[in-house]
Amino acid sequence: MTRGSQRERDRERAAARAGGKGKNGDDGLTPEQRRERDGKALQEKAAKKAAQAAGASSGGAAGGKGAAAKK
């Protein structure tokens, strides 16, 4: 019998912890603006990853061995 109220309390606590963040939060952008923003973020992320990979590959084979050994 008390499980129902426990679930409700857990839901309330989870909602309080989440604050105001929600997956479907309205950021005030049109779909086109959102696409543009996300595309730009993706390009920056890809450039950062490429730069990181270029830096790691110039380090030599020893860096690769160390990373493989940790796994």
Side-chain angles (χ1 to χ4, degrees):
M1 281 282 199
T2 59
R3 284 297 294 171
S5 63
Q6 179 68 39
R7 285 189 190 119
E8 285 300 315
R9 276 186 287 177
D10 286 345
R11 284 189 188 119
E12 289 170 9
R13 288 180 61 222
R17 267 186 267 128
K21 33 182 183 167
K23 191 170 185 179
N24 298 328
D26 186 20
D27 51 7
L29 298 175
T30 65
E32 188 176 311
Q33 291 171 327
R34 194 172 298 115
R35 240 187 319 268
E36 195 174 305
R37 178 197 64 190
D38 294 347
K40 191 181 296 183
L42 241 114
Q43 287 175 347
E44 290 173 4
K45 185 177 178 181
K48 184 177 177 183
K49 190 172 183 179
Q52 194 175 25
S57 66
S58 66
K65 278 187 176 179
K70 287 182 181 178
K71 289 183 181 179

